[in-house]
Amino acid sequence: MLRRRLFVLGAVVVIAAAALTAYSWWSRDTGGYRVRLVMPSAAGLVGGAPVRANGTDVGQIQSIEAKDNQAVITVSIDAAHAPLHTGTTAWVETRSVLGERNIEVKPGPAANPAVPDGGLVEARPQVNVEDVLEVLDPQTRSHVDSVVKQLDQTLKGREPDLNATIKTAGPTVQALGQVLGAIGHDGPAIHELVGKLSDLTKVLAQRQDKLRNTVGNLAVLAGRAAGQQEDLANALSALPATLQDAKAGLDKMPGAADAAKPLLDDLRPAADKLPSVAGNLGPLLQDLRPTIADLRPTLDAASTLLNYTPGLLDSVHNTAPGLNTAVQGLAPTLRYLRPYTPELAGFLANWGSVFADYDSTGHYINGLVVASPTSVNGLPVHSLPGFTRQIAPVPGEAGGQPWSDANGEGMR
């Protein structure tokens, strides 16, 4: 508690010293345009505090006096903003939560008469915290008192830290004041911006279905982009192996080039002879021109033939499956008739021998050849080694398929 009282006493001493300094400075400076403000209270105001108009410093407080239970505040106005005109009003304004206060002036119309030097300017009453607390009911005041006591308990013993915080927060509060001042200057622009933003929001609300579809399509696009990004990542992951293979191939290229160099050296004489060979080919190509001209009708005819070739190929293609089927169907019959080929050949030979003695004019001639007793033909067939004689062989017996009729019976 003692520390708290010392803190309050120090604050009072500082305020008193500041007031004395301002009074001494005012007593030394007696020039300039001044006006006086009469207010019920000047609590929180000190000499040298700024006087502002429309967010701009236009002067400062010169002195504060008490007269007839009211505060008479003398302020000086800069020459650039002097004089003030009738209809000007002034009030006390708090600039920050720390309690810094200044005089705010709203100049009267320029057409009104000027306020003389040292004249009075209408001042609005100052609203203090005490006045606000007196308006509150007892229950609310008790709650406020409880909050103040809790704040006192919280700050007890931490006054130096609070002072350091206040000193550190000074530039921040000043910067915040500048930001708020800029917002005040740009109020119409901000109002217009907010209005346009409201109109834009209304338009978006009217077109929320299209906006929803656009967002959905954007989500699909983002999904596809993510998939492509994954594919790209896979491709990039495979890129090192590809680069290594390419490096291995490039490493082999010098050896291949070295091996190809002797081949190119060997080909150089032949390449040197190519111009003369090309020169010798010139007359031959000129002699080929008539032949090529004669080939043009043949090529035209071939072109005409090629126009019919697709249809012919289509016809052959359509006929080939049926022909193939017919051949496949004849295969069993041909397979069955194959063992009887010797008999068929013998039949044709015997049939030919019957008419062999007739010439083209129908005359018959037959010669008899008599062999000697020593001829091989005179020997009996069965007497030759490895030969057997069968007077009436069964058809198909030579091919291992004896004849049988529909009933499965043999020759009769």
Side-chain angles (χ1 to χ4, degrees), residues 301-377:
S303 176
T304 304
L305 178 61
L306 290 176
N307 291 332
Y308 295 101
T309 300
L312 178 61
L313 293 176
D314 293 339
S315 301
V316 172
H317 178 73
N318 295 331
T319 306
L323 184 61
N324 188 21
T325 303
V327 172
Q328 290 178 356
L330 290 174
T333 304
L334 295 175
R335 190 182 303 112
Y336 179 79
L337 293 176
R338 182 178 180 183
Y340 305 105
T341 304
E343 284 77 10
L344 180 60
F347 170 76
L348 295 176
N350 294 332
W351 184 265
S353 64
V354 172
F355 298 96
D357 297 332
Y358 293 89
D359 58 7
S360 60
T361 59
H363 296 94
Y364 178 80
I365 182 172
N366 189 3
L368 178 62
V369 179
V370 178
S372 64
T374 61
S375 175
V376 178
N377 292 333

Side-chain angles (χ1 to χ4, degrees), residues 169-196:
T172 305
V173 174
Q174 184 177 3
L176 180 61
Q178 293 176 356
V179 172
L180 295 177
I183 294 175
H185 286 297
D186 298 336
I190 295 175
H191 183 271
E192 183 179 0
L193 178 62
V194 172
K196 291 182 178 179

Side-chain angles (χ1 to χ4, degrees), residues 39 41-47 49 61 64 73 92-93 101-103 126:
M39 294 184 177
S41 174
L45 294 176
V46 295
I61 297 176
I64 302 175
I73 304 171
V92 178
E93 186 174 275
R101 296 181 179 183
N102 63 280
I103 299 295
Q126 178 182 357

Side-chain angles (χ1 to χ4, degrees), residues 142-372:
S142 64
H143 287 300
V144 173
D145 182 63
S146 175
V147 171
V148 172
K149 289 180 180 179
Q150 291 179 1
L151 181 62
D152 179 64
Q153 293 294 329
T154 303
L155 297 178
K156 183 179 296 185
R158 297 183 177 87
E159 289 82 0
D161 297 337
L162 179 60
N163 291 334
T165 303
I166 293 174
K167 292 180 180 179
T168 306
T172 305
V173 174
Q174 184 177 3
L176 180 61
Q178 293 176 356
V179 172
L180 295 177
I183 294 175
H185 286 297
D186 298 336
I190 295 175
H191 183 271
E192 183 179 0
L193 178 62
V194 172
K196 291 182 178 179
L197 182 61
S198 176
D199 296 338
L200 177 61
T201 305
K202 291 179 181 178
V203 174
L204 291 177
Q206 294 174 357
R207 302 179 180 179
Q208 57 181 350
D209 294 336
K210 295 182 179 179
L211 182 62
R212 187 183 299 108
N213 294 333
T214 302
V215 173
N217 295 333
L218 183 60
V220 174
L221 179 60
R224 293 180 179 177
Q228 293 180 357
Q229 185 176 4
E230 184 177 359
D231 296 339
L232 180 60
N234 296 331
L236 291 177
S237 62
L239 186 59
T242 305
L243 293 177
Q244 290 178 357
D245 296 340
K247 182 178 181 298
L250 292 176
D251 292 338
K252 296 178 180 178
M253 287 185 66
D258 295 338
K261 185 176 181 299
L263 177 61
L264 295 176
D265 293 337
D266 296 337
L267 290 176
R268 179 174 296 174
D272 294 338
K273 295 178 180 179
L274 285 177
S276 60
V277 174
N280 296 329
L281 287 177
L284 176 61
L285 295 176
Q286 292 180 357
D287 295 338
L288 286 177
R289 288 181 181 177
T291 305
I292 295 174
D294 295 337
L295 285 176
R296 182 171 298 173
T298 304
L299 295 176
D300 294 338
S303 176
T304 304
L305 178 61
L306 290 176
N307 291 332
Y308 295 101
T309 300
L312 178 61
L313 293 176
D314 293 339
S315 301
V316 172
H317 178 73
N318 295 331
T319 306
L323 184 61
N324 188 21
T325 303
V327 172
Q328 290 178 356
L330 290 174
T333 304
L334 295 175
R335 190 182 303 112
Y336 179 79
L337 293 176
R338 182 178 180 183
Y340 305 105
T341 304
E343 284 77 10
L344 180 60
F347 170 76
L348 295 176
N350 294 332
W351 184 265
S353 64
V354 172
F355 298 96
D357 297 332
Y358 293 89
D359 58 7
S360 60
T361 59
H363 296 94
Y364 178 80
I365 182 172
N366 189 3
L368 178 62
V369 179
V370 178
S372 64

Side-chain angles (χ1 to χ4, degrees), residues 7-31:
F7 176 75
V8 174
L9 181 60
V12 172
V13 171
V14 170
I15 293 174
L20 290 175
T21 302
Y23 177 76
S24 61
W25 178 83
W26 173 80
S27 62
R28 290 194 304 266
D29 185 11
T30 58

